[in-house]
Amino acid sequence: MWGRVRKSWSTVRDAFRTERDTGRQARSHNLFEAAAAYVSACAEDDQERIEEAAGWVSPEALSFGVNELACRAVIALARERDESPRAVARDLLGLPAA
């Protein structure tokens, strides 16, 4: 039983973190660091940084982190503009007001 629990935990942990071996001590990145680096590199159209950040965590973890970053950004912008998050999100995407 404990073997299954340990294996399941290992799978979950590996999905949220990978370590890169660059010949020196590897540094692990969390999914939020990866998401922040990935999104900022996309905004600056820096393909090298995009690929680097995408390699820090699994694709699933990166997707989760980018989604979380988008939610937090829309909420912060909505508070700043004193608008609803829905209105801000639609405006950012260039959609007509609902």
Side-chain angles (χ1 to χ4, degrees):
M1 177 173 162
W2 289 113
R4 278 200 226 163
V5 171
R6 195 173 321 125
K7 184 177 179 184
S8 295
W9 172 248
S10 175
T11 302
V12 169
R13 183 192 68 223
D14 291 345
F16 284 96
R17 183 189 73 209
T18 61
E19 294 181 8
R20 300 182 74 183
D21 185 12
T22 59
R24 55 189 168 143
Q25 185 173 353
R27 180 191 185 290
S28 63
H29 298 272
N30 72 37
L31 66 107
F32 298 114
E33 283 180 309
Y38 181 84
V39 169
S40 64
C42 287
E44 296 169 358
D45 198 26
D46 185 341
Q47 191 61 39
E48 186 176 317
R49 284 183 37 223
I50 290 170
E51 291 170 6
E52 179 185 4
W56 291 348
V57 294
S58 71
E60 296 84 8
L62 183 60
S63 177
F64 175 80
V66 168
N67 181 59
E68 185 66 22
L69 178 58
C71 290
R72 291 179 187 195
V74 167
I75 290 168
L77 195 53
R79 287 179 182 158
E80 184 178 297
R81 292 182 179 182
D82 198 27
E83 297 179 8
S84 73
R86 183 178 183 186
V88 170
R90 293 184 68 82
D91 182 51
L92 289 172
L93 293 171
L95 300 172

XYZ file of all heavy atoms in Angstrom:
761
model
N 0.817 -1.187 0.000
C 0.000 0.000 0.000
C 0.868 1.260 0.000
O 0.630 2.179 -0.768
C -0.934 -0.003 1.194
C -1.754 1.262 1.271
S -2.970 1.107 2.558
C -3.353 2.800 2.769
N 1.872 1.325 0.883
C 2.729 2.511 0.949
C 3.509 2.691 -0.342
O 3.824 3.818 -0.728
C 3.670 2.439 2.139
C 2.941 2.621 3.433
C 2.749 1.700 4.406
C 2.275 3.807 3.878
N 2.008 2.224 5.426
C 1.703 3.528 5.128
C 2.088 5.066 3.334
C 0.983 4.469 5.836
C 1.368 6.005 4.044
C 0.834 5.696 5.293
N 3.791 1.590 -1.013
C 4.483 1.685 -2.295
C 3.637 2.429 -3.319
O 4.148 3.246 -4.086
N 2.346 2.152 -3.334
C 1.441 2.851 -4.253
C 1.336 4.341 -3.922
O 1.326 5.183 -4.803
C 0.044 2.241 -4.193
C -0.094 1.017 -5.021
C -1.556 0.793 -5.280
N -1.869 -0.600 -5.048
C -3.073 -1.069 -4.866
N -4.094 -0.265 -4.830
N -3.281 -2.341 -4.705
N 1.252 4.650 -2.628
C 1.165 6.036 -2.200
C 2.444 6.773 -2.608
O 2.398 7.881 -3.154
C 0.944 6.142 -0.674
C 1.082 7.576 -0.184
C -0.416 5.566 -0.308
N 3.580 6.159 -2.353
C 4.859 6.772 -2.701
C 4.970 6.986 -4.206
O 5.401 8.033 -4.671
C 6.001 5.886 -2.211
C 7.333 6.574 -2.199
C 8.447 5.742 -1.556
N 8.007 5.011 -0.397
C 8.138 3.681 -0.246
N 8.711 2.959 -1.165
N 7.701 3.080 0.835
N 4.531 6.000 -4.999
C 4.587 6.114 -6.449
C 3.645 7.217 -6.938
O 4.000 8.015 -7.813
C 4.216 4.790 -7.101
C 4.335 4.805 -8.605
C 4.025 3.454 -9.202
C 4.131 3.527 -10.709
N 3.760 2.286 -11.342
N 2.442 7.300 -6.386
C 1.497 8.342 -6.771
C 2.048 9.719 -6.435
O 1.966 10.651 -7.244
C 0.158 8.150 -6.062
O -0.442 6.950 -6.481
N 2.598 9.877 -5.244
C 3.165 11.159 -4.853
C 4.321 11.535 -5.775
O 4.458 12.681 -6.188
C 3.635 11.135 -3.415
C 4.388 12.380 -3.071
C 5.709 12.495 -2.785
C 3.872 13.708 -3.019
N 6.043 13.797 -2.553
C 4.935 14.571 -2.704
C 2.617 14.264 -3.230
C 4.774 15.937 -2.581
C 2.469 15.635 -3.103
C 3.529 16.442 -2.780
N 5.138 10.575 -6.134
C 6.261 10.834 -7.024
C 5.779 11.323 -8.383
O 6.347 12.247 -8.966
C 7.082 9.550 -7.187
O 8.107 9.751 -8.120
N 4.707 10.733 -8.887
C 4.149 11.147 -10.172
C 3.627 12.571 -10.101
O 3.882 13.383 -10.999
C 3.013 10.189 -10.590
O 3.535 8.868 -10.661
C 2.427 10.580 -11.924
N 2.910 12.904 -9.046
C 2.383 14.256 -8.870
C 3.530 15.249 -8.741
O 3.538 16.302 -9.388
C 1.454 14.331 -7.638
C 1.110 15.766 -7.296
C 0.200 13.519 -7.881
N 4.511 14.930 -7.927
C 5.658 15.818 -7.725
C 6.395 16.053 -9.043
O 6.740 17.184 -9.373
C 6.612 15.221 -6.696
C 7.786 16.140 -6.386
C 8.868 15.438 -5.593
N 9.468 14.437 -6.449
C 9.780 13.218 -6.078
N 9.576 12.811 -4.850
N 10.301 12.356 -6.917
N 6.604 15.012 -9.807
C 7.314 15.149 -11.079
C 6.513 15.953 -12.096
O 7.088 16.620 -12.947
C 7.652 13.778 -11.650
C 8.716 13.053 -10.834
O 9.388 13.722 -10.017
O 8.871 11.840 -11.011
N 5.201 15.900 -12.005
C 4.373 16.682 -12.924
C 4.508 18.173 -12.674
O 4.393 18.975 -13.584
C 2.908 16.265 -12.797
N 4.802 18.545 -11.440
C 4.911 19.955 -11.089
C 6.342 20.471 -11.054
O 6.575 21.642 -10.905
C 4.248 20.229 -9.738
C 2.769 20.243 -9.841
C 2.020 19.116 -9.539
C 2.112 21.376 -10.267
C 0.654 19.127 -9.657
C 0.737 21.393 -10.386
C 0.005 20.261 -10.079
N 7.308 19.605 -11.216
C 8.679 20.069 -11.157
C 9.583 19.125 -11.928
O 9.455 17.918 -11.824
C 9.147 20.122 -9.707
C 10.538 20.674 -9.576
C 11.065 20.508 -8.182
N 11.365 19.080 -7.994
C 11.322 18.468 -6.836
N 10.996 19.101 -5.765
N 11.620 17.194 -6.739
N 10.455 19.692 -12.715
C 11.515 18.917 -13.336
C 12.814 19.641 -13.065
O 12.844 20.846 -12.858
C 11.331 18.774 -14.863
O 11.349 20.066 -15.443
C 10.051 18.050 -15.199
N 13.885 18.918 -13.035
C 15.184 19.531 -12.830
C 16.003 19.333 -14.084
O 15.967 18.277 -14.706
C 15.894 18.901 -11.633
C 15.194 19.188 -10.328
C 15.916 18.584 -9.134
O 17.031 18.085 -9.316
O 15.347 18.627 -8.051
N 16.734 20.352 -14.473
C 17.576 20.282 -15.658
C 19.004 20.037 -15.213
O 19.513 20.696 -14.332
C 17.479 21.580 -16.444
C 16.050 21.846 -16.878
C 15.987 23.077 -17.671
N 16.554 22.745 -18.965
C 16.726 23.609 -19.935
N 16.381 24.838 -19.774
N 17.238 23.234 -21.084
N 19.658 19.108 -15.865
C 21.047 18.817 -15.558
C 21.916 19.567 -16.556
O 21.962 19.229 -17.728
C 21.297 17.314 -15.636
C 22.702 16.949 -15.203
O 23.401 17.815 -14.635
O 23.108 15.794 -15.442
N 22.606 20.592 -16.081
C 23.442 21.410 -16.956
C 24.915 21.224 -16.637
O 25.737 22.061 -16.986
C 23.071 22.897 -16.820
O 23.248 23.280 -15.450
C 21.645 23.158 -17.255
N 25.266 20.153 -15.977
C 26.648 19.926 -15.621
C 27.014 20.528 -14.276
O 28.079 20.292 -13.746
N 26.172 21.313 -13.727
C 26.353 21.877 -12.396
C 25.144 21.481 -11.572
O 24.251 20.822 -12.055
C 26.518 23.386 -12.451
C 25.396 24.065 -13.151
C 25.690 25.535 -13.388
N 24.681 25.998 -14.321
C 24.123 27.161 -14.292
N 24.496 28.033 -13.410
N 23.208 27.497 -15.154
N 25.086 21.906 -10.355
C 23.954 21.539 -9.514
C 22.662 22.074 -10.131
O 22.555 23.249 -10.444
C 24.130 22.078 -8.101
C 23.046 21.626 -7.169
C 23.327 22.026 -5.739
O 24.392 22.530 -5.429
N 22.376 21.793 -4.867
N 21.701 21.185 -10.304
C 20.438 21.571 -10.927
C 19.600 22.387 -9.945
O 19.589 22.127 -8.752
C 19.665 20.335 -11.364
N 18.917 23.382 -10.467
C 18.023 24.193 -9.661
C 16.606 23.877 -10.108
O 16.305 23.908 -11.291
C 18.316 25.680 -9.895
C 17.424 26.598 -9.101
C 17.596 28.032 -9.579
N 16.880 29.002 -8.823
C 15.565 29.161 -8.803
N 14.808 28.361 -9.493
N 14.997 30.102 -8.095
N 15.755 23.578 -9.171
C 14.374 23.291 -9.539
C 13.577 24.589 -9.523
O 13.842 25.498 -8.745
C 13.753 22.267 -8.593
O 13.696 22.783 -7.292
N 12.639 24.684 -10.435
C 11.786 25.854 -10.548
C 10.368 25.439 -10.209
O 9.942 24.349 -10.575
C 11.807 26.405 -11.977
C 13.154 26.862 -12.400
N 13.613 28.131 -12.172
C 14.156 26.213 -13.037
C 14.833 28.256 -12.657
N 15.184 27.105 -13.184
N 9.640 26.315 -9.557
C 8.248 25.964 -9.298
C 7.389 26.421 -10.470
O 7.840 27.168 -11.342
C 7.769 26.492 -7.947
C 7.574 27.989 -7.906
O 7.121 28.611 -8.872
N 7.905 28.585 -6.774
N 6.168 25.971 -10.499
C 5.314 26.239 -11.650
C 4.982 27.715 -11.797
O 4.789 28.193 -12.911
C 4.043 25.395 -11.612
C 3.054 25.674 -10.489
C 1.840 26.380 -11.055
C 2.629 24.348 -9.883
N 4.976 28.471 -10.716
C 4.671 29.890 -10.821
C 5.852 30.676 -11.397
O 5.660 31.614 -12.162
C 4.215 30.454 -9.478
C 2.944 29.798 -9.010
C 2.940 29.016 -7.871
C 1.769 29.938 -9.722
C 1.773 28.396 -7.454
C 0.600 29.318 -9.311
C 0.602 28.546 -8.178
N 7.076 30.285 -11.034
C 8.250 30.888 -11.667
C 8.240 30.606 -13.167
O 8.514 31.496 -13.969
C 9.538 30.307 -11.082
C 9.937 30.807 -9.733
C 11.214 30.159 -9.265
O 11.310 28.916 -9.292
O 12.127 30.903 -8.873
N 7.952 29.378 -13.514
C 7.917 28.996 -14.925
C 6.845 29.770 -15.679
O 7.084 30.262 -16.782
C 7.681 27.487 -15.052
N 5.666 29.893 -15.085
C 4.569 30.618 -15.735
C 4.919 32.082 -15.927
O 4.690 32.652 -17.001
C 3.287 30.478 -14.924
N 5.493 32.710 -14.904
C 5.862 34.124 -15.009
C 6.923 34.331 -16.081
O 6.830 35.251 -16.897
C 6.359 34.637 -13.659
N 7.924 33.469 -16.105
C 8.982 33.587 -17.112
C 8.433 33.323 -18.514
O 8.772 34.034 -19.463
C 10.110 32.612 -16.799
N 7.563 32.331 -18.632
C 6.993 31.968 -19.929
C 6.121 33.089 -20.492
O 6.268 33.495 -21.647
C 6.178 30.682 -19.782
C 5.561 30.180 -21.061
C 6.298 29.400 -21.942
C 4.243 30.479 -21.387
C 5.741 28.937 -23.119
C 3.681 30.027 -22.562
C 4.430 29.248 -23.418
O 3.872 28.798 -24.595
N 5.239 33.622 -19.671
C 4.324 34.680 -20.126
C 5.093 35.953 -20.466
O 4.833 36.587 -21.485
C 3.220 34.943 -19.082
C 2.428 36.195 -19.415
C 2.289 33.737 -18.998
N 6.060 36.319 -19.628
C 6.828 37.528 -19.929
C 7.656 37.345 -21.190
O 7.783 38.277 -21.995
C 7.700 37.937 -18.740
O 8.671 36.950 -18.467
N 8.195 36.156 -21.415
C 8.942 35.891 -22.651
C 8.018 35.925 -23.868
O 8.407 36.430 -24.926
C 9.649 34.540 -22.550
N 6.806 35.417 -23.726
C 5.831 35.490 -24.820
C 5.483 36.936 -25.136
O 5.384 37.317 -26.306
C 4.562 34.715 -24.478
S 4.752 32.926 -24.513
N 5.315 37.757 -24.106
C 4.973 39.168 -24.307
C 6.098 39.905 -25.025
O 5.850 40.827 -25.795
C 4.675 39.831 -22.964
N 7.332 39.473 -24.782
C 8.493 40.103 -25.417
C 8.917 39.373 -26.694
O 9.918 39.740 -27.306
C 9.645 40.158 -24.423
C 9.342 41.037 -23.227
C 10.353 40.896 -22.102
O 11.285 40.077 -22.217
O 10.205 41.614 -21.097
N 8.192 38.331 -27.061
C 8.471 37.522 -28.253
C 9.908 37.003 -28.263
O 10.607 37.066 -29.270
C 8.172 38.324 -29.522
C 8.019 37.418 -30.736
O 7.664 36.242 -30.555
O 8.280 37.889 -31.858
N 10.341 36.474 -27.115
C 11.692 35.943 -26.944
C 11.628 34.412 -26.955
O 11.419 33.777 -25.923
C 12.288 36.457 -25.633
C 13.738 36.053 -25.435
O 14.215 35.104 -26.084
O 14.406 36.707 -24.612
N 11.803 33.828 -28.137
C 11.626 32.386 -28.311
C 12.587 31.571 -27.446
O 12.217 30.529 -26.921
C 11.799 32.006 -29.787
C 11.380 30.590 -30.097
C 9.923 30.310 -29.803
O 9.055 31.141 -30.043
N 9.636 29.139 -29.279
N 13.804 32.034 -27.274
C 14.780 31.300 -26.468
C 14.326 31.203 -25.010
O 14.378 30.137 -24.404
C 16.143 31.992 -26.550
C 17.246 31.225 -25.859
C 18.597 31.890 -26.038
O 18.898 32.339 -27.163
O 19.343 31.959 -25.044
N 13.854 32.317 -24.454
C 13.353 32.300 -23.076
C 12.061 31.511 -22.960
O 11.809 30.872 -21.934
C 13.157 33.732 -22.569
C 14.468 34.403 -22.207
C 14.318 35.806 -21.636
N 13.179 35.979 -20.773
C 12.374 37.046 -20.818
N 12.571 38.013 -21.680
N 11.358 37.133 -19.989
N 11.227 31.541 -23.989
C 9.989 30.755 -23.986
C 10.324 29.277 -23.846
O 9.772 28.569 -23.012
C 9.161 31.008 -25.265
C 8.577 32.415 -25.265
C 8.058 29.959 -25.422
C 7.963 32.827 -26.597
N 11.252 28.812 -24.672
C 11.634 27.398 -24.641
C 12.300 27.022 -23.331
O 12.063 25.935 -22.793
C 12.555 27.092 -25.820
C 11.836 27.165 -27.151
C 12.775 27.092 -28.348
O 13.992 26.863 -28.149
O 12.287 27.261 -29.476
N 13.122 27.925 -22.789
C 13.773 27.643 -21.511
C 12.739 27.491 -20.396
O 12.751 26.519 -19.646
C 14.750 28.758 -21.161
C 15.440 28.540 -19.828
C 16.330 29.697 -19.424
O 16.374 30.717 -20.131
O 16.973 29.577 -18.368
N 11.830 28.452 -20.295
C 10.808 28.400 -19.241
C 9.897 27.194 -19.410
O 9.496 26.572 -18.428
C 9.993 29.688 -19.240
N 9.577 26.837 -20.648
C 8.709 25.681 -20.896
C 9.368 24.379 -20.456
O 8.677 23.405 -20.159
C 8.345 25.613 -22.377
N 10.689 24.360 -20.391
C 11.395 23.159 -19.955
C 11.537 23.023 -18.454
O 11.991 21.992 -17.964
N 11.164 24.033 -17.709
C 11.324 23.994 -16.264
C 10.326 23.083 -15.576
O 10.614 22.522 -14.511
C 11.202 25.386 -15.663
C 12.341 26.306 -15.998
C 13.530 25.971 -16.570
C 12.392 27.708 -15.767
N 14.308 27.088 -16.719
C 13.632 28.167 -16.232
C 11.500 28.618 -15.231
C 14.019 29.509 -16.160
C 11.875 29.950 -15.160
C 13.125 30.382 -15.610
N 9.126 22.971 -16.107
C 8.076 22.145 -15.498
C 7.357 21.381 -16.595
O 7.551 21.640 -17.784
C 7.052 23.009 -14.707
C 7.703 23.664 -13.495
C 6.414 24.051 -15.585
N 6.497 20.486 -16.225
C 5.735 19.718 -17.211
C 4.751 20.639 -17.932
O 4.366 21.682 -17.401
C 4.964 18.590 -16.515
O 3.897 19.125 -15.760
N 4.323 20.253 -19.124
C 3.344 21.068 -19.846
C 2.052 21.288 -19.058
O 1.471 22.370 -19.108
C 3.077 20.265 -21.127
C 4.309 19.448 -21.322
C 4.792 19.128 -19.928
N 1.626 20.286 -18.322
C 0.408 20.403 -17.525
C 0.578 21.436 -16.418
O -0.303 22.252 -16.162
C 0.008 19.056 -16.916
C -0.349 18.004 -17.920
C 0.860 17.257 -18.490
O 2.002 17.447 -18.002
O 0.658 16.492 -19.441
N 1.722 21.399 -15.750
C 1.993 22.355 -14.680
C 2.122 23.767 -15.246
O 1.620 24.731 -14.654
C 3.266 21.965 -13.926
N 2.776 23.895 -16.400
C 2.908 25.209 -17.020
C 1.541 25.767 -17.386
O 1.251 26.935 -17.150
C 3.805 25.133 -18.255
C 4.089 26.461 -18.954
C 4.783 27.438 -18.008
C 4.925 26.224 -20.206
N 0.683 24.932 -17.929
C -0.673 25.357 -18.286
C -1.430 25.841 -17.050
O -2.087 26.882 -17.074
C -1.429 24.209 -18.949
O -2.748 24.569 -19.231
N -1.321 25.104 -15.964
C -1.965 25.498 -14.720
C -1.414 26.837 -14.231
O -2.165 27.727 -13.828
C -1.768 24.419 -13.645
C -2.305 24.822 -12.303
C -3.652 24.718 -12.027
C -1.459 25.316 -11.317
C -4.157 25.102 -10.792
C -1.947 25.696 -10.085
C -3.305 25.584 -9.822
N -0.095 27.000 -14.271
C 0.529 28.230 -13.809
C 0.141 29.429 -14.656
O -0.118 30.512 -14.130
N 0.094 29.246 -15.973
C -0.307 30.336 -16.868
C -1.760 30.713 -16.605
O -2.110 31.898 -16.555
C -0.078 29.954 -18.346
C -0.744 30.944 -19.285
C 1.414 29.860 -18.640
N -2.619 29.718 -16.402
C -4.022 29.988 -16.090
C -4.147 30.766 -14.785
O -4.898 31.737 -14.694
C -4.802 28.670 -16.010
C -6.260 28.899 -15.724
O -6.939 29.576 -16.475
N -6.747 28.331 -14.629
N -3.403 30.361 -13.776
C -3.444 31.044 -12.480
C -2.938 32.480 -12.614
O -3.516 33.411 -12.056
C -2.604 30.277 -11.452
C -2.681 30.831 -10.060
C -4.047 30.707 -9.417
O -4.852 29.852 -9.820
O -4.324 31.491 -8.482
N -1.866 32.674 -13.387
C -1.335 34.015 -13.618
C -2.359 34.887 -14.338
O -2.568 36.051 -13.972
C -0.044 33.939 -14.430
C 0.619 35.259 -14.806
C 0.961 36.079 -13.569
C 1.856 34.997 -15.634
N -3.034 34.335 -15.332
C -4.058 35.091 -16.062
C -5.195 35.502 -15.132
O -5.645 36.660 -15.170
C -4.598 34.261 -17.224
N -5.645 34.588 -14.304
C -6.723 34.910 -13.359
C -6.316 36.031 -12.416
O -7.068 36.991 -12.208
C -7.118 33.672 -12.555
S -7.965 32.414 -13.511
N -5.119 35.924 -11.850
C -4.658 36.941 -10.913
C -4.470 38.291 -11.604
O -4.777 39.341 -11.024
C -3.352 36.505 -10.264
C -3.530 35.333 -9.326
C -2.232 34.908 -8.714
N -2.376 33.691 -7.936
C -1.470 33.258 -7.077
N -0.349 33.924 -6.892
N -1.676 32.151 -6.417
N -3.971 38.277 -12.835
C -3.762 39.525 -13.577
C -5.093 40.205 -13.889
O -5.226 41.429 -13.741
C -2.991 39.247 -14.865
N -6.084 39.429 -14.300
C -7.401 40.004 -14.611
C -8.042 40.567 -13.354
O -8.611 41.667 -13.378
C -8.312 38.956 -15.303
C -9.759 39.418 -15.339
C -7.806 38.666 -16.709
N -7.927 39.867 -12.255
C -8.491 40.358 -10.988
C -7.804 41.656 -10.569
O -8.473 42.629 -10.184
C -8.388 39.281 -9.885
C -9.360 38.138 -10.185
C -8.654 39.884 -8.506
C -9.141 36.902 -9.327
N -6.475 41.702 -10.651
C -5.750 42.917 -10.268
C -6.120 44.086 -11.173
O -6.340 45.206 -10.689
C -4.240 42.659 -10.325
N -6.213 43.840 -12.453
C -6.567 44.897 -13.386
C -8.014 45.356 -13.184
O -8.317 46.551 -13.274
C -6.343 44.423 -14.818
C -6.323 45.471 -15.920
C -5.332 46.579 -15.607
C -5.977 44.815 -17.243
N -8.901 44.419 -12.889
C -10.299 44.770 -12.634
C -10.407 45.663 -11.399
O -11.162 46.644 -11.390
C -11.135 43.507 -12.459
N -9.664 45.353 -10.359
C -9.676 46.198 -9.150
C -9.127 47.586 -9.467
O -9.664 48.582 -9.003
C -8.844 45.545 -8.052
C -9.517 44.351 -7.442
C -8.670 43.708 -6.381
N -9.322 42.527 -5.841
C -8.683 41.546 -5.221
N -7.380 41.605 -5.044
N -9.352 40.509 -4.769
N -8.052 47.612 -10.256
C -7.441 48.893 -10.618
C -8.390 49.757 -11.438
O -8.466 50.965 -11.245
C -6.161 48.628 -11.409
C -5.362 49.858 -11.767
C -4.098 49.496 -12.515
O -3.248 48.802 -11.914
O -3.978 49.891 -13.687
N -9.124 49.129 -12.360
C -10.056 49.855 -13.231
C -11.434 50.038 -12.598
O -12.297 50.707 -13.162
C -10.247 49.095 -14.542
C -9.040 49.044 -15.430
C -9.406 48.305 -16.701
N -8.311 48.224 -17.641
C -8.416 47.652 -18.835
N -9.567 47.125 -19.221
N -7.375 47.608 -19.639
N -11.677 49.392 -11.482
C -12.981 49.384 -10.833
C -14.051 48.846 -11.791
O -15.123 49.427 -11.957
C -13.358 50.775 -10.312
C -14.477 50.713 -9.283
O -14.600 49.672 -8.610
O -15.231 51.695 -9.176
N -13.721 47.732 -12.440
C -14.629 47.037 -13.353
C -14.715 45.577 -12.932
O -13.946 45.111 -12.102
C -14.113 47.117 -14.798
C -14.034 48.502 -15.376
C -13.481 48.509 -16.797
O -13.294 47.418 -17.378
O -13.221 49.599 -17.314
N -15.623 44.856 -13.561
C -15.736 43.432 -13.270
C -14.620 42.672 -13.995
O -14.175 43.101 -15.062
C -17.095 42.895 -13.720
O -17.140 42.803 -15.133
N -14.185 41.543 -13.428
C -13.185 40.729 -14.123
C -13.660 40.292 -15.514
O -12.863 40.235 -16.453
C -13.001 39.527 -13.194
C -13.338 40.060 -11.842
C -14.453 41.039 -12.078
N -14.940 40.023 -15.652
C -15.474 39.620 -16.954
C -15.306 40.728 -17.994
O -14.881 40.488 -19.123
C -16.949 39.249 -16.822
C -17.554 38.764 -18.111
C -18.986 38.358 -17.925
N -19.507 37.827 -19.185
C -20.744 37.492 -19.368
N -21.609 37.597 -18.379
N -21.150 37.024 -20.521
N -15.615 41.970 -17.606
C -15.474 43.103 -18.522
C -14.011 43.314 -18.905
O -13.694 43.564 -20.072
C -16.045 44.366 -17.887
N -13.124 43.185 -17.934
C -11.693 43.354 -18.201
C -11.188 42.261 -19.139
O -10.473 42.545 -20.102
C -10.890 43.375 -16.880
C -9.393 43.297 -17.144
C -11.223 44.622 -16.075
N -11.562 41.034 -18.876
C -11.109 39.927 -19.725
C -11.597 40.101 -21.153
O -10.836 39.908 -22.112
C -11.594 38.593 -19.155
N -12.839 40.475 -21.324
C -13.385 40.681 -22.668
C -12.676 41.847 -23.359
O -12.367 41.777 -24.546
C -14.888 40.910 -22.609
C -15.653 39.646 -22.149
C -17.145 39.845 -22.175
N -17.647 39.990 -23.542
C -17.908 38.986 -24.380
N -17.684 37.741 -23.980
N -18.387 39.217 -25.585
N -12.392 42.913 -22.612
C -11.691 44.060 -23.180
C -10.272 43.674 -23.619
O -9.824 44.048 -24.696
C -11.644 45.206 -22.169
C -10.966 46.435 -22.725
O -11.332 46.899 -23.821
O -10.049 46.941 -22.045
N -9.562 42.920 -22.784
C -8.207 42.502 -23.105
C -8.172 41.639 -24.379
O -7.202 41.687 -25.141
C -7.577 41.730 -21.947
C -7.217 42.556 -20.730
C -6.789 41.634 -19.591
C -6.113 43.553 -21.054
N -9.201 40.871 -24.589
C -9.273 40.004 -25.770
C -9.913 40.698 -26.973
O -10.052 40.102 -28.039
C -10.049 38.723 -25.438
C -9.335 37.803 -24.445
C -10.262 36.681 -24.010
C -8.049 37.256 -25.043
N -10.336 41.940 -26.777
C -10.932 42.677 -27.890
C -12.340 42.237 -28.238
O -12.799 42.412 -29.369
N -13.040 41.678 -27.265
C -14.404 41.223 -27.481
C -15.379 42.332 -27.109
O -15.086 43.152 -26.237
C -14.700 39.990 -26.634
C -13.799 38.760 -26.908
C -14.063 37.681 -25.856
C -14.055 38.238 -28.303
N -16.547 42.355 -27.736
C -17.538 43.379 -27.374
C -18.063 43.137 -25.956
O -18.041 42.012 -25.448
C -18.649 43.192 -28.411
C -18.464 41.824 -28.939
C -17.019 41.476 -28.802
N -18.517 44.189 -25.328
C -19.072 44.079 -23.984
C -20.273 43.139 -24.008
O -21.058 43.138 -24.963
C -19.497 45.446 -23.452
N -20.393 42.359 -22.971
C -21.493 41.380 -22.925
C -22.772 42.005 -22.431
O -22.856 42.892 -21.704
C -21.112 40.211 -22.008
